[in-house]
Amino acid sequence: MTKIRKAVFPVGGLGTRFLPATKAMPKEMLPVVDKPLIQYAVEEAQAAGIEHFIFVTGHNKTAIEDHFDANPALEKLLAKENKFDLLKFLQDSTFDSGKISYTRQSEPKGLGHAVWCARDLIGDEPFAVLLPDDIFHCKTPCLKQLVEAYNQVGGNIVAINDVPREQTNRYGILSVESDDGVLVKANGMVEKPAPEKAPSTCAISGRYILSPEVLDELNHQKAGIKGEIQLTDAMAATLDRVSFHGVRFEGTRFDCGNKIGFLMANIEYALDRPDLSEEFRQALKNLKL
């Protein structure tokens, strides 16, 4: 199999659900405990062996670029004050020249359009897509689980989880051909179907490994639901020549695109931190919920 070297991060959204916090700050920079959402996605990609990180940005996203850039003055100050843990944190989030690229999505035309904007940077090779709104708390990083499945079966692969049938209209839903409990072979997918029309309850979560054939389909710029260019439509158009699987990832997904998911992620990650968990548990007890 061709190694998955590149990952695309669509970060052009306006984050209106989190206004007024996102009026001047990208939603991807909202912190879960003490790291921004986008850094969780980047670290997950790094753990999966990704070498080139491609950000599809939009208006008011320069804070993301600054976050992954070097800050010599701050690093010098931390070293002077012997704050070496914080210094390492900064250095670990800084990319060497050439490993990170930015391209612009001039208008919000959907996830498929955002991925298409990165086509020249992706080239003719399989690639990953990570949606920063989704955080996965997993022992083995979610994208790494997908890469391991890709190394076995190839083709297009997505992370999936089973959702209540009444929620199928929130997700892309797979049409299932076979299912071994972990790896699901799909013969189709539907974007946000009504519960009574959903072919299954296997919902696509925000992690993808895609073949370059998907980019060929996105070149046609066909609008789907809500007039947007849907990534799932382009994937579906390749089913006659590219295999398609879903992976039931081991772990927990938090939808940080909504307030409840974001708050739950903060609680989960705080409880998982050795330096915070005991004090935080006591603080929660003191709330007398």
Side-chain angles (χ1 to χ4, degrees):
M1 297 294 175
T2 303
K3 182 182 178 182
I4 307 300
R5 301 186 311 111
K6 298 180 180 180
V8 177
F9 301 84
V11 294
L14 296 176
T16 54
R17 292 180 184 177
F18 283 88
L19 286 169
T22 52
K23 179 182 178 181
M25 178 178 70
K27 65 174 180 176
E28 296 82 9
M29 292 301 295
L30 292 171
V32 172
V33 185
D34 55 7
K35 284 195 296 190
L37 287 169
I38 186 62
Q39 187 158 340
Y40 286 94
V42 166
E43 289 178 354
E44 180 185 331
Q46 288 174 313
I50 297 300
E51 301 170 1
H52 188 184
F53 304 79
I54 303 167
F55 293 81
V56 182
T57 70
H59 176 70
N60 198 32
K61 300 291 181 172
T62 55
I64 296 175
E65 298 184 33
D66 291 340
H67 179 73
F68 291 109
D69 199 2
N71 189 331
L74 181 55
E75 292 178 18
K76 184 177 180 180
L77 176 64
L78 293 174
K80 182 179 179 181
E81 296 180 351
N82 296 321
K83 296 180 178 179
F84 296 111
D85 289 344
L86 290 176
L87 177 59
K88 185 177 186 306
F89 179 86
L90 253 64
Q91 292 172 338
D92 287 346
S93 64
T94 300
F95 282 87
D96 293 335
S97 298
K99 285 192 173 182
I100 189 166
S101 300
Y102 297 93
T103 189
R104 190 96 171 205
Q105 185 182 21
S106 58
E107 54 184 314
K109 290 185 178 181
L111 178 56
H113 181 260
V115 172
W116 177 80
C117 289
R119 65 197 182 282
D120 290 337
L121 293 166
I122 297 167
D124 187 24
E125 61 182 283
F127 60 100
V129 177
L130 297 90
L131 307 188
D133 281 359
D134 288 331
I135 286 187
F136 293 80
H137 193 216
C138 307
K139 184 176 181 181
T140 300
C142 183
L143 186 62
K144 188 173 183 180
Q145 295 180 47
L146 265 63
V147 169
E148 290 171 353
Y150 169 83
N151 290 336
Q152 296 176 23
V153 298
N156 295 325
I157 298 183
V158 295
I160 60 170
N161 63 304
D162 294 286
V163 299
R165 180 162 287 275
E166 62 269 21
Q167 294 181 11
T168 57
N169 58 358
R170 304 179 188 178
Y171 304 95
I173 301 294
L174 301 189
S175 175
V176 176
E177 180 177 316
S178 62
D179 183 350
D180 69 5
V182 176
L183 194 65
V184 173
K185 184 173 176 57
N187 55 20
M189 71 204 81
V190 183
E191 184 66 29
K192 299 179 180 179
E196 66 275 12
K197 295 182 179 180
S200 76
T201 56
C202 293
I204 299 175
S205 299
R207 300 293 184 268
Y208 308 75
I209 291 177
L210 302 176
S211 67
E213 284 85 354
V214 172
L215 292 177
D216 294 337
E217 294 298 330
L218 289 173
N219 282 330
H220 301 314
Q221 300 281 291
K222 293 180 180 177
I225 189 171
K226 295 183 179 180
E228 296 181 337
I229 298 169
Q230 299 292 340
L231 184 59
T232 49
D233 290 345
M235 294 167 64
T238 69
L239 282 167
D240 60 340
R241 56 195 185 279
V242 181
S243 66
F244 180 46
H245 292 83
V247 175
R248 284 193 179 88
F249 60 90
E250 294 183 4
T252 305
R253 167 186 171 266
F254 295 96
D255 179 4
C256 293
N258 71 71
K259 295 182 180 74
I260 297 301
F262 178 73
L263 293 171
M264 292 302 296
N266 272 277
I267 293 171
E268 177 83 2
Y269 276 86
L271 291 173
D272 195 46
R273 284 272 295 268
D275 61 327
L276 294 174
S277 59
E278 184 176 346
E279 186 176 353
F280 186 54
R281 287 179 191 277
Q282 187 58 50
L284 289 176
K285 290 179 182 179
N286 292 342
L287 287 176
K288 298 178 181 179
L289 301 175

